[in-house]
Each structure stands twice: as structure tokens, then as C-alpha cells.
Amino acid sequence: MCHEKVSTIGWKAVLMVEEPLLCFQCSRELVKINGAICQGCGRPGEFEPLCKDCLRWSMDPCWKENEMINRSIYQYNEGIKTIFNQFKFRGDFELGKVFSKEIREFFIKEFTSVSMISFIPLSEERLYERGFNQAEILAKHIPRKIEPTLLKKNETKQSKKTRQERLTGDNPFQLRLNVNITAQHILLIDDIYTTGTTIRHAAKLLLENGASKVSSLTLIRS
């Protein structure tokens, strides 16, 4: 991340143990979510058992029938923001490997019971612009087969929309042709959970088309 030289001489190198990809200083910037969380979206903190955002979702007549849970690995802070921006927006594809071990371990801890793993897609326009889908890259670190299930329509970036526009907009996804999701518990992988709108739109479409349950694993909870 910082491109400082590090020594590779030591017991880990001798014993052929996997070396960390970040130095000590950079790895300190990544703060994992530990302790109490919202049982809906995974927000850190003491809740009974849902945070205010999840309570609002659960009381909305358009969304209350589409229950789902999200779990995230890292808190959003300046450290993760720096790495995330370099990975996602500056095209530093290799930085995806930094999260490989944590994603594998988190999946084994939380989600081995799912029957299908997919990811949040990018529109063709955004994929061409960026060169890769960061959610798909993160999903490929999970030691299971990954199934593309959704397509993303071309539209304004979510980051350019207001919160209200995100919450009330049309569903930006459509189901891929010839995908059988009937009775599947689907795990969706994405990079960041902000308002939850992206994940919930995707989950709603999957549930309406036969999935039995949808959960999500996101790298960051903002």
C-alpha cells in the first residue's frame, strides 16, 4: 500500500508461511468490526436488536417482506478509505489480494450454510470505465463456485445520488436469463454497505424470482 521496503527474512519466510501483504503500519489502519452489532445490517453498536435504519426498512410496506441480513468485515475509516479508493477508483487491481485471507475466514465463520454465492454487478458502462468489478474480485476469494445472477442497468452512479433518491428509485437490477435460483439461499458479495439500498434492491429481485433467502457479505460497513 505505502510501497515502503520491508524485510522478508524471518521465520515466516523460512517456514514458507504466507506473508502478509501489508506492513504493520498500514495494517493498523484496517479496523475490524468486533463486538455488538445490529442484527440486520451489521452496524457496530448496541441495538435491541435492530438499528434505526433497519427498523425503518422493516416498517416500510415495500420492503418489510424482504428480510435479509448483512455482515461486514471492516469499519469505514480513513485507512480503509485510502486503500478502497486506490483499489476501486484508481484501478489498483492487485490490492484486492489484501483482503483475501479475511474474506475466506469471515465466510467460513458466518456463511458456510448458503447454497449459492453471487455478487453485485456493474453496468456495462461502469465495467468498461473501471476495467473490473470490485465485488466480483472480492467474491472470487471465497473457496466456492461463484454464480452471476444479476445484471445492472446503466444509470447514474449511486455515489452521485442523494439518500432519498437511492431509497425511492426504481430497481436498478434485472435477473440474468437461464439462472435457476429457486429455493436457493443466496449470498451476495459487495464492497461497501452504506444505506443498504443496493443490496436490498438486489435481494428483493432475487426473492421475487424464487430465492428462499438472501444474505450479504460486504467488505466495509460505512
Side-chain angles (χ1 to χ4, degrees):
M1 180 62 205
C2 63
H3 301 290
E4 289 290 329
K5 290 184 178 181
V6 293
S7 172
T8 57
I9 299 174
W11 285 111
K12 287 186 177 181
V14 172
L15 298 173
M16 301 299 288
V17 176
E18 183 180 1
E19 287 281 356
L21 298 179
L22 294 181
C23 67
F24 176 71
Q25 291 297 328
C26 288
S27 62
R28 286 180 61 189
E29 299 296 319
L30 304 181
V31 180
K32 288 185 181 180
I33 295 174
N34 291 308
I37 59 171
C38 167
Q39 293 304 301
C41 67
R43 182 198 299 270
E46 297 281 352
F47 304 102
E48 298 181 358
L50 301 177
C51 67
K52 290 182 179 179
D53 281 349
C54 286
L55 286 173
R56 282 199 295 266
W57 284 111
S58 68
M59 292 186 289
D60 188 318
C62 294
W63 298 98
K64 65 180 181 180
E65 301 300 325
N66 299 288
E67 292 185 9
M68 61 162 297
I69 66 164
N70 171 75
R71 294 293 180 265
S72 303
I73 302 175
Y74 296 107
Q75 297 180 34
Y76 186 74
N77 61 11
E78 285 303 312
I80 194 75
K81 179 181 177 181
T82 299
I83 295 178
F84 181 64
N85 286 345
Q86 189 164 327
F87 168 54
K88 181 175 179 178
F89 298 116
R90 299 176 192 166
D92 198 339
F93 181 90
E94 287 294 298
L95 276 178
K97 295 178 181 178
V98 167
F99 309 111
S100 179
K101 180 174 180 290
E102 300 299 340
I103 290 171
R104 291 197 310 268
E105 292 179 353
F106 195 80
F107 169 77
I108 292 169
K109 177 185 175 184
E110 299 283 348
F111 291 113
T112 50
S113 63
V114 301
S115 55
M116 180 181 282
I117 302 171
S118 192
F119 54 88
I120 297 296
L122 293 178
S123 66
E124 290 185 6
E125 178 185 4
R126 200 69 62 227
L127 185 60
Y128 178 80
E129 176 186 284
R130 192 166 295 160
F132 64 93
N133 179 352
Q134 69 283 350
E136 183 178 6
I137 296 302
L138 296 174
K140 287 181 176 179
H141 293 300
I142 293 173
R144 291 264 293 271
K145 183 181 179 181
I146 308 301
E147 300 275 1
T149 56
L150 300 168
L151 294 171
K152 178 78 178 294
K153 304 169 188 174
N154 287 324
E155 61 166 7
T156 305
K157 291 182 181 180
Q158 287 290 312
S159 59
K160 300 294 184 182
K161 295 180 180 180
T162 66
R163 177 183 175 86
Q164 189 61 27
E165 287 172 336
R166 293 190 190 193
L167 297 179
T168 59
D170 293 334
N171 198 317
F173 301 106
Q174 61 190 56
L175 195 68
R176 282 179 174 268
L177 296 176
N178 303 316
V179 173
N180 182 11
I181 60 173
T182 303
Q184 299 281 356
H185 178 186
I186 302 173
L187 177 66
L188 289 173
I189 310 299
D190 202 9
D191 49 11
I192 187 167
Y193 185 109
T194 306
T195 65
T197 309
T198 298
I199 290 291
R200 289 178 185 277
H201 272 301
K204 184 175 184 179
L205 183 61
L206 293 170
L207 290 166
E208 289 173 348
N209 283 276
S212 62
K213 185 177 180 180
V214 178
S215 304
S216 63
L217 190 170
T218 52
L219 185 67
I220 306 163
R221 179 63 174 89
S222 71

